Amino acid sequence: MASFDDLERLREEGLTRVREAAGGEALRALEREYLEKGGVVTSLLAEIPKLEPTARRDAGIGANRLKGEIEGALAARREELLEAELAREAGGAFDATLPAAPSQRGSLHPITQVTREVEEIFTAMGYRVLDGPEVELDFYNFQALNIPADHPAREHQDTFWCDEEQNLVLRTQTSPVQIRAMETLEPPFRVIAPGRVFRNEACDATHEHTFHQVEGLVVGEDVNVGHLIGTLKGFLGEIFRRETDVRLRPGFFPFVEPGFEVDVRCPFCESGCRVCSDTTWIEYCGCGMVHPHVLRAGGIDPERWSGFAFGMGLDRLVMMRHRIDDIRHFMGGDLRFLTQF
Ligand SMILES: [Zn+2]
């Protein structure tokens, strides 16, 4: 039972407990314990009439002051807790100093990146960028490119047939765009056609059913092999960002005559490395002077016009540049691979 002798101790204890109350529940409990019926302060006040008349005044002042102080402390602590709560809530939404929630940012596929780069280099050289259908007629994919039905070259390009009666294939190369360009454009012209191509073959580290090529075609008067070599050297120098030696070897492609295989000086070494199999040369692209049959198939007079064409793998280019050892990564859809670019 609280007594007036203890007033100072009760005051200290009461105020400390209120100041340290952890929340609304605790404050409500303290309010009951001190101020309500049967509580510490209320009981003291109830004692006053029983005291000696001379003591009543001081007792009344003391008890009422304690009551006021406890009430004041409760209100102050309530306010304090409310402010802390608001600050906590506001902090979650608006605190600019907190680290941001991590967000995933996309990136362009490495093939898309290199395709854009190739397009920029060639458009700077005056080329137009063309697109062609991925589902193509046999005529454009083979016949017009000097690959008739019985030609052995067809066996090297394992073809996905969409509809054999209608002669529809998934294009095995970007070369059919050459014919479409000749049909629609008036020479002289320069075009490139990057895009997806498809081969029905077993997939391994260097073979994929879907891959990417860029085709180039220049038709004009007196276009010759020197122009072709100059163009490829210029392009490869840009794409590898350094002066690049190229070497031409005779190569056979039905749609060019003469045809060449182009080797590029290995961009990774001076005296041989794993990428170039210690030869310092990397076999890179096929090219040549457009075969008269092909010009004719495209409606262009080979007596008046000549041209060169080249085709190269874009996957191969990205693989060389980033030393990627398996072509299947490109279409694999693994974000761990793709987010590196
Ligand atoms: Zn090398």
Side-chain angles (χ1 to χ4, degrees), residues 266 269 272-273 276:
C266 177
C269 68
C273 69
C276 59

Side-chain angles (χ1 to χ4, degrees), residues 46-252:
E47 291 296 310
I48 293 173
K50 299 173 200 162
L51 296 174
E52 292 297 315
T54 50
R56 285 178 200 165
R57 187 174 169 270
D58 285 349
I61 289 170
N64 276 306
R65 198 177 66 200
L66 177 61
K67 187 181 175 217
E69 280 181 322
I70 297 280
E71 278 171 350
L74 281 168
R77 183 64 185 147
R78 235 179 227 120
E79 185 76 9
E80 208 173 85
L81 287 169
L82 184 66
E83 272 174 25
E85 176 69 20
L86 287 173
R88 221 177 5 256
E89 281 176 11
F94 302 117
D95 187 350
T97 64
L98 286 175
S103 64
Q104 275 211 325
R105 215 178 134 181
S107 60
L108 291 175
H109 193 282
I111 299 284
T112 306
Q113 289 179 25
V114 84
T115 302
R116 291 188 177 183
E117 221 176 296
V118 168
E119 289 176 2
E120 267 175 39
I121 293 169
F122 278 107
T123 47
M125 294 197 274
Y127 283 67
R128 289 175 61 169
V129 180
L130 295 187
D131 209 357
E134 291 177 347
V135 176
E136 189 54 284
L137 285 163
D138 179 285
F139 173 77
Y140 289 102
N141 195 76
F142 293 121
Q143 289 173 48
L145 291 165
N146 207 21
I147 312 173
D150 54 355
H151 199 286
R154 289 197 178 210
E155 284 167 27
H156 296 299
Q157 300 190 2
D158 302 302
T159 310
F160 283 114
W161 286 91
C162 299
D163 186 332
E164 231 158 323
E165 272 179 32
Q166 294 186 50
N167 290 315
L168 282 174
V169 301
L170 289 184
R171 66 177 180 188
T172 57
Q173 49 194 348
T174 43
S175 308
V177 186
Q178 283 188 32
I179 306 298
R180 293 182 175 275
M182 289 188 238
E183 282 180 343
T184 50
L185 300 175
E186 283 293 319
F189 60 79
R190 297 174 232 192
V191 297
I192 57 160
R196 284 200 296 182
V197 300
F198 311 88
R199 300 275 173 96
N200 187 5
E201 59 191 7
C203 299
D204 60 30
T206 54
H207 297 87
E208 176 64 293
H209 53 70
T210 302
F211 54 102
H212 305 78
Q213 289 183 339
V214 61
E215 190 79 9
L217 172 68
V218 171
V219 175
E221 280 171 322
D222 303 320
V223 173
N224 61 47
V225 176
H227 296 137
L228 168 60
I229 297 171
T231 301
L232 289 177
K233 268 191 132 168
F235 165 70
L236 293 166
E238 287 279 333
I239 205 80
F240 289 117
R241 299 188 184 101
R242 60 180 242 184
E243 188 83 16
T244 306
D245 276 348
V246 298
R247 174 174 88 171
L248 266 66
R249 291 179 288 118
F252 174 74

Side-chain angles (χ1 to χ4, degrees), residues 266-282:
C266 177
F268 305 118
C269 68
E270 298 292 334
S271 55
C273 69
R274 205 169 60 90
V275 181
C276 59
S277 312
D278 289 324
T279 62
T280 76
W281 291 101
I282 294 175

